[in-house]
Amino acid sequence: MSAPAGRARRVLAATAAAVAGALAVGMAVAAPSTAEPGPTLGQLAAAKGRYFGSATDNPTLNNAPYTAVLGSEFNQITVGNTQKWQYTEPSRGQFDYSQADRIVAFAQAHNQIVRGHTLAWHNQLPGWVNDVPAGELLGVMRNHIANVAGHYKGKVVHWDVVNEAFEEDGTRRQSVFQQKIGDSYIAEAFKAARAADPNAKLYYNDYNVEGIGAKSDAMYNMVKSFKQQGIPIDGVGLQAHLILGQVPSTVRQNIKRFADLGVDVAITELDIRMRTPRDATKDAQQAADYRTVTNACLAVTRCVGITVWDFSDGYSWIPSVFPGEGAALIFDENFNKKPSYWAVYEALGGTRVTTTTTTTTGGTGTGCTATYRVTSQWGGGFQGEVSIRNNDTTALNGWTVQWTFAQGQALANLWNGVATTNGQDITVRNASYNGTIDAVGTTTFGFIGSFSGSNPVPSPITCTRA
Ligand code: XIL
């Protein structure tokens, strides 16, 4: 968990130190060959002592664009399906870890911690469990937990030991475990999990328990009584399958009351669904909702992390279960970051890299387009890049880009262009060697700047061809 954060800090520190040195002696700064990417959600969360993770499922492990994001953006993985009873003990006493092992291996290869999910749940149970005689089910459940948690001993940081044991009114759900073992089955499951993997943190996990209400009260009372009796429980998972615009107003207060009982809290299955299709208004509401949930977790020290229930709208369980709804996650189906991604990013302390683009017609022919980007930023300094695109179908010979630094930013050093400054107005002309841009081609120049306070992207930025 600390490794990704350490890497991010080192990158930022090295960049800042190099720039400070360059500014001090007025030397030329070489343009880096590639811009440093911004920190990931996992790195930002780690810097706050948390994780930010995603659930995943076996079929998607063969999808390269998917795994590129899964392996880099998150520092925690939850096994979305294949640790469930139906996969791990499909027939009595026959255990199969082949699928879940692949996900755990992926996580280990990418330096990601794993949440185990889930040991005792009424869904995705193989049919044979329902036929176990009442007198045998406690033994069967203990054996299942001993095997599964034993197999993953040392490899999962949390187990969702029992999942969804309460009804909306706070009474016990009449699952096969409840009916055949009775009220004690939850405590027995936790004891079996502790025996199998003493170092895993043991969680009770449920949905519609994010705010204060009858169901979360029942969960609260159970945790309180477990603590009093010495039943080994370490945390509660708030699944957080939420609806657009309906984040409960008491989320933070609710997280706090569980923390005050002496357990950790995790947001375990976050998604925020809307009626599809998406539009800008819904996206903005969703971003606000993700921000609220992230801030609520960050407000309570014992809220240890957030997991989205998969990360891309193309791989979400929502459309298949809630017809007409979807678009619940932080990346779209093509792995583009949505406003909800940026809301989480900023709530976790990230500074968003933004761009401005303006097209201007100058000289003869069609104009050129200048796009301004802040590629990295640190305390008081930043690196920027402007790309110039020739929109014409014939070559362009000479270009000028202009903008105004409205917030007092200053240019320290610029390469691949010739800068003139007049107060806050910046004009950059091509260097001797890059004035010609082929038909529909592109060139770039880069610079180091300083700022104090904020560093918004200047707008407009104009591009004029000679
Ligand atoms: C869901 C999976 O995402 C689906 O692929 C599967 O078909 C059904 O289960 N609460 C839970 C998760 O604890 O295990 C569920 O996952 C979603 C609701």
Side-chain angles (χ1 to χ4, degrees), residues 35-253:
E36 293 291 352
T40 65
L41 298 184
Q43 289 168 342
L44 291 168
K48 299 211 175 275
R50 313 296 211 285
Y51 60 80
F52 196 95
S54 176
T56 192
D57 204 358
N58 288 73
T60 41
L61 290 185
N62 299 321
N63 177 335
Y66 174 95
T67 53
V69 180
L70 181 71
S72 62
E73 189 68 52
F74 306 101
N75 59 349
Q76 180 269 324
I77 296 275
T78 300
V79 183
N81 274 308
T82 49
Q83 281 176 331
K84 293 170 182 173
W85 201 311
Q86 120 182 50
Y87 295 93
T88 49
E89 194 181 0
S91 48
R92 186 166 173 171
Q94 303 288 305
F95 291 89
D96 180 356
Y97 302 113
S98 54
Q99 296 209 71
D101 280 356
R102 287 194 60 214
I103 295 180
V104 172
F106 180 94
Q108 289 177 337
H110 293 86
N111 224 349
Q112 296 161 316
I113 55 173
V114 178
R115 296 194 81 255
H117 177 81
T118 175
L119 298 171
W121 187 32
H122 64 282
N123 268 335
Q124 293 178 281
L125 264 185
W128 67 265
V129 176
N130 294 303
D131 302 330
V132 172
E136 295 176 32
L137 191 57
L138 177 57
V140 163
M141 183 185 80
R142 284 177 172 151
N143 186 51
H144 180 78
I145 292 173
N147 266 279
V148 179
H151 180 79
Y152 289 106
K153 183 177 175 180
K155 296 182 176 169
V156 303
V157 294
H158 300 171
W159 264 114
D160 287 332
V161 178
V162 174
N163 200 29
E164 303 181 352
F166 291 105
E167 297 285 359
E168 296 305 298
D169 64 0
T171 61
R172 285 291 186 92
R173 181 191 296 275
Q174 293 302 308
S175 68
V176 66
F177 303 109
Q178 178 69 31
Q179 289 185 330
K180 293 191 178 173
I181 302 172
D183 278 348
S184 65
Y185 92 87
I186 300 182
E188 292 299 336
F190 277 85
K191 288 192 258 179
R194 180 68 98 224
D197 186 352
N199 292 321
K201 300 274 187 212
L202 306 182
Y203 277 67
Y204 174 80
N205 190 52
D206 214 328
Y207 64 96
N208 285 353
V209 291
E210 294 73 28
I212 292 178
K215 195 173 185 178
S216 65
D217 285 351
M219 185 167 90
Y220 180 88
N221 291 331
M222 180 186 75
V223 172
K224 190 172 174 189
S225 109
F226 278 15
K227 285 300 227 181
Q228 283 162 356
Q229 299 171 64
I231 309 293
I233 187 166
D234 304 302
V236 292
L238 314 182
Q239 290 185 8
H241 294 294
L242 301 173
I243 298 169
L244 190 74
Q246 296 184 30
V247 179
S249 59
T250 51
V251 176
R252 179 175 164 171
Q253 195 188 335

Side-chain angles (χ1 to χ4, degrees), residues 286-288 290-291 294 338-348:
Q286 187 181 53
Y290 268 94
R291 180 177 288 114
T294 307
K338 294 167 60 183
S340 50
Y341 173 95
W342 292 113
V344 172
Y345 184 90
E346 289 179 343
L348 292 174

